[in-house]
mmCIF file of all heavy atoms in Angstrom:
data_model
loop_
_atom_site.group_PDB
_atom_site.id
_atom_site.type_symbol
_atom_site.label_atom_id
_atom_site.label_comp_id
_atom_site.label_asym_id
_atom_site.label_seq_id
_atom_site.Cartn_x
_atom_site.Cartn_y
_atom_site.Cartn_z
ATOM 1 N N LEU B 673 7.518 15.521 -0.458
ATOM 2 C CA LEU B 673 7.777 16.670 -1.316
ATOM 3 C C LEU B 673 7.532 16.345 -2.784
ATOM 4 O O LEU B 673 7.163 17.207 -3.556
ATOM 5 C CB LEU B 673 9.222 17.135 -1.134
ATOM 6 C CG LEU B 673 9.570 17.709 0.234
ATOM 7 C CD1 LEU B 673 11.028 18.114 0.279
ATOM 8 C CD2 LEU B 673 8.681 18.901 0.551
ATOM 9 N N LEU B 674 7.760 15.091 -3.163
ATOM 10 C CA LEU B 674 7.639 14.724 -4.576
ATOM 11 C C LEU B 674 6.324 14.018 -4.866
ATOM 12 O O LEU B 674 6.206 13.334 -5.870
ATOM 13 C CB LEU B 674 8.818 13.830 -4.975
ATOM 14 C CG LEU B 674 10.177 14.515 -4.959
ATOM 15 C CD1 LEU B 674 11.279 13.523 -5.241
ATOM 16 C CD2 LEU B 674 10.215 15.639 -5.977
ATOM 17 N N ARG B 675 5.347 14.197 -3.986
ATOM 18 C CA ARG B 675 4.104 13.440 -4.166
ATOM 19 C C ARG B 675 3.423 13.751 -5.491
ATOM 20 O O ARG B 675 2.645 12.969 -5.997
ATOM 21 C CB ARG B 675 3.148 13.704 -3.009
ATOM 22 C CG ARG B 675 2.689 15.137 -2.926
ATOM 23 C CD ARG B 675 1.907 15.378 -1.650
ATOM 24 N NE ARG B 675 1.542 16.778 -1.561
ATOM 25 C CZ ARG B 675 2.316 17.709 -1.038
ATOM 26 N NH1 ARG B 675 3.492 17.394 -0.551
ATOM 27 N NH2 ARG B 675 1.919 18.966 -0.998
ATOM 28 N N GLY B 676 3.730 14.908 -6.066
ATOM 29 C CA GLY B 676 3.076 15.264 -7.318
ATOM 30 C C GLY B 676 3.734 14.669 -8.544
ATOM 31 O O GLY B 676 3.213 14.788 -9.635
ATOM 32 N N VAL B 677 4.895 14.048 -8.375
ATOM 33 C CA VAL B 677 5.558 13.428 -9.522
ATOM 34 C C VAL B 677 4.917 12.074 -9.748
ATOM 35 O O VAL B 677 4.981 11.194 -8.898
ATOM 36 C CB VAL B 677 7.071 13.281 -9.273
ATOM 37 C CG1 VAL B 677 7.727 12.546 -10.424
ATOM 38 C CG2 VAL B 677 7.708 14.648 -9.089
ATOM 39 N N ARG B 678 4.269 11.904 -10.917
ATOM 40 C CA ARG B 678 3.538 10.674 -11.157
ATOM 41 C C ARG B 678 4.357 9.722 -11.992
ATOM 42 O O ARG B 678 5.286 10.120 -12.696
ATOM 43 C CB ARG B 678 2.233 10.978 -11.888
ATOM 44 C CG ARG B 678 1.300 11.872 -11.120
ATOM 45 C CD ARG B 678 0.896 11.221 -9.808
ATOM 46 N NE ARG B 678 -0.249 11.897 -9.227
ATOM 47 C CZ ARG B 678 -1.491 11.642 -9.572
ATOM 48 N NH1 ARG B 678 -1.758 10.743 -10.489
ATOM 49 N NH2 ARG B 678 -2.484 12.283 -9.006
ATOM 50 N N GLY B 679 3.982 8.477 -11.944
ATOM 51 C CA GLY B 679 4.612 7.489 -12.799
ATOM 52 C C GLY B 679 5.624 6.617 -12.088
ATOM 53 O O GLY B 679 6.091 5.634 -12.635
ATOM 54 N N PHE B 680 5.962 6.966 -10.842
ATOM 55 C CA PHE B 680 6.934 6.165 -10.109
ATOM 56 C C PHE B 680 6.347 5.711 -8.786
ATOM 57 O O PHE B 680 5.762 6.493 -8.049
ATOM 58 C CB PHE B 680 8.212 6.967 -9.855
ATOM 59 C CG PHE B 680 8.822 7.487 -11.115
ATOM 60 C CD1 PHE B 680 8.739 8.834 -11.424
ATOM 61 C CD2 PHE B 680 9.421 6.626 -12.016
ATOM 62 C CE1 PHE B 680 9.264 9.318 -12.605
ATOM 63 C CE2 PHE B 680 9.944 7.095 -13.200
ATOM 64 C CZ PHE B 680 9.866 8.447 -13.498
ATOM 65 N N ALA B 681 6.534 4.429 -8.491
ATOM 66 C CA ALA B 681 6.049 3.900 -7.230
ATOM 67 C C ALA B 681 7.055 4.152 -6.125
ATOM 68 O O ALA B 681 6.739 4.050 -4.947
ATOM 69 C CB ALA B 681 5.788 2.401 -7.358
ATOM 70 N N GLY B 682 8.281 4.487 -6.486
ATOM 71 C CA GLY B 682 9.301 4.743 -5.488
ATOM 72 C C GLY B 682 10.670 4.605 -6.110
ATOM 73 O O GLY B 682 10.805 4.559 -7.335
ATOM 74 N N ALA B 683 11.667 4.555 -5.238
ATOM 75 C CA ALA B 683 13.027 4.405 -5.722
ATOM 76 C C ALA B 683 13.658 3.232 -4.999
ATOM 77 O O ALA B 683 13.267 2.891 -3.893
ATOM 78 C CB ALA B 683 13.826 5.676 -5.467
ATOM 79 N N ALA B 684 14.616 2.607 -5.659
ATOM 80 C CA ALA B 684 15.292 1.472 -5.041
ATOM 81 C C ALA B 684 16.785 1.738 -5.017
ATOM 82 O O ALA B 684 17.361 2.225 -5.985
ATOM 83 C CB ALA B 684 14.997 0.203 -5.829
ATOM 84 N N ASP B 685 17.380 1.454 -3.895
ATOM 85 C CA ASP B 685 18.793 1.678 -3.711
ATOM 86 C C ASP B 685 19.540 0.419 -4.122
ATOM 87 O O ASP B 685 19.351 -0.637 -3.535
ATOM 88 C CB ASP B 685 19.036 1.995 -2.222
ATOM 89 C CG ASP B 685 20.435 2.500 -1.995
ATOM 90 O OD1 ASP B 685 21.223 2.494 -2.956
ATOM 91 O OD2 ASP B 685 20.724 2.903 -0.859
#
Side-chain angles (χ1 to χ4, degrees):
Chain B
L673 294 179
L674 293 175
R675 64 188 177 273
V677 176
R678 299 299 195 84
F680 304 107
D685 191 354

